Amino acid sequence: MRARRSPPATESPPVTLALDQTRAEAKADHAGIRRWLWIVAALVFLMVVVGGATRLTGSGLSITEWKPITGALPPLSADAWAEEFGKYRASPQYQLLNEGMSLGEFQFIYWWEWGHRQLGRFIGLIYLAGFLVVALRRLLPARQVVTLFGMGLLLGLQGAIGWIMVASGLQPGMIAVAPVKLTLHLTFAGLFFASVVAFATALTPLRRVEPPRGRASAWLLLLLLFVQVALGGLVAGSKAGFTFNTWPLMDGALVPPGSQLFAQTPFWENFVDNVALVQFNHRLGAYVLFAVALWNVLRLRRAAPGSGSAKRSTAIAGLVLAQSALGIVTLLLVVPLWAGLAHQALGFAVLAMGVVHVTRTEQAARP
């Protein structure tokens, strides 16, 4: 009986070729998904800046209705502008703060709020289109598709919170939105932004193997960053940045007296509406955040010198220091538009770096 000839050693089995092709396609799919997610993250970052401009220009209450579909069209005639202006003139903000405003002045604040809402609609469409492509083409495992769906729900919830925030400012006697609702709006924007950055980072291959160090401190930094964003939202909502415009002292004291910090009743309202305590908490949060960021740098540089985690922690500490300096400048100048926007934008840049740091640290810790 003749022995069967084995195939030449140089031939590649069909299974191997198919596997290589599948991996190449998955790699290309991941690159496309990453581009989509980074575009969404950039748009959310822009949305935060535009939202800050809307707040600082007093434009947020200029549109008194929430019409998700028909509201996309602005007034297109003189009669339509007159009708829209009439709705605003019936609002408490106009009657208590802006009485006598001209149509041209109203149009200025209207366009800021309209642009803010349009950008929100655009982000929703971009996210929905990308999600449908990923889901229908099955470009990711089911678990990750479910995660993306949950992120989409978070985006929708953020839009609903935005209207709840605006509605709070249209109540009798109100001339601005409620600080707590503004803080929720900003915090949920940060949560969605962080989830997009984390997902995009997780899909990006590691360039080198990193030592699994600093997981707890990375999460602590991220938690403190979110707390500081929330405290900043309370400062913005209560307009606390327009008072106590000195540093490092507040009204001549490093720590204001308790009678000033807790002057309101009930006790908990001081943390929301008392501008002295709101600003003091934001200052204190910045000190704690920078101290933890600096401690993390020193610890990682000793434990894992030259590692990616040490370099990222150094970058975070530098950004926190720059953000703190910008916050001081913003306070001393009594919140000019450019400084307020730069402070808010840099805050989200630091948040993004904190998310990347946590994601990469978690990837390094996996077996």
Side-chain angles (χ1 to χ4, degrees), residues 61-325:
L61 299 177
S62 58
I63 302 178
T64 60
E65 297 175 323
W66 189 38
K67 298 178 179 178
I69 305 300
T70 58
L73 291 176
L76 299 176
S77 65
D79 289 341
W81 274 114
E83 181 182 355
E84 203 67 31
F85 192 22
K87 295 174 183 177
Y88 178 66
R89 284 200 299 255
S91 70
Q93 187 187 66
Y94 175 85
Q95 296 171 358
L96 298 174
L97 186 66
N98 291 331
E99 188 174 4
M101 171 184 279
S102 68
L103 177 61
E105 291 170 328
F106 168 71
Q107 288 173 326
F108 174 79
I109 63 173
Y110 180 94
W111 284 121
W112 270 115
E113 175 64 9
W114 183 83
H116 185 54
R117 296 190 185 193
Q118 287 301 105
L119 185 55
R121 290 183 174 96
F122 184 64
I123 292 171
L125 290 175
I126 292 295
Y127 190 85
L128 177 61
F131 171 76
L132 290 177
V133 170
V134 172
L136 295 178
R137 294 183 58 189
R138 300 181 181 179
L139 301 180
L140 290 173
R143 178 179 57 83
Q144 291 181 309
V145 174
V146 171
T147 300
L148 287 174
F149 180 75
M151 290 162 57
L153 293 180
L154 181 60
L155 177 59
L157 178 61
Q158 160 68 359
I161 292 174
W163 170 247
I164 293 172
M165 176 192 70
V166 171
S168 71
L170 299 174
Q171 300 302 311
M174 296 291 290
I175 60 173
V177 301
V180 170
K181 292 181 172 63
L182 186 146
T183 301
L184 282 174
H185 189 50
L186 182 64
T187 303
F188 271 81
L191 286 171
F192 177 70
F193 177 73
S195 68
V196 173
V197 172
F199 206 113
T201 303
L203 290 180
T204 305
L206 287 167
R207 295 183 178 180
R208 58 179 176 177
V209 178
E210 296 186 11
R213 294 183 180 274
R215 291 178 65 192
S217 59
W219 279 104
L220 176 60
L221 271 174
L222 184 59
L223 175 63
L224 290 175
L225 284 169
F226 268 108
V227 170
Q228 190 65 348
V229 167
L231 292 175
L234 289 174
V235 169
S238 63
K239 300 187 184 300
F242 292 90
T243 58
F244 303 102
N245 299 102
T246 58
W247 185 85
L249 304 181
M250 288 181 62
D251 202 17
L254 188 62
V255 179
S259 58
Q260 189 174 27
L261 293 177
F262 302 101
Q264 298 184 14
T265 54
F267 176 80
W268 64 268
E269 282 193 0
N270 290 283
F271 294 90
V272 178
D273 293 323
N274 185 337
V275 294
L277 183 59
V278 167
Q279 189 186 126
F280 179 72
N281 285 340
H282 194 46
R283 292 188 184 205
L284 189 62
Y287 301 148
V288 172
L289 177 59
F290 179 67
V292 172
L294 187 59
W295 164 77
N296 191 44
V297 169
L298 297 175
R299 191 173 68 88
L300 286 176
R301 282 186 171 274
R302 284 197 303 265
S307 66
S309 57
K311 292 178 179 178
R312 287 192 303 272
S313 63
T314 302
I316 291 173
L319 287 171
V320 169
L321 179 60
Q323 170 70 343
S324 300

Side-chain angles (χ1 to χ4, degrees), residues 43-63:
L43 289 171
V44 174
F45 184 86
L46 177 61
M47 181 76 164
V48 169
V49 175
V50 173
T54 302
R55 172 179 55 82
L56 290 171
T57 56
S59 306
L61 299 177
S62 58
I63 302 178

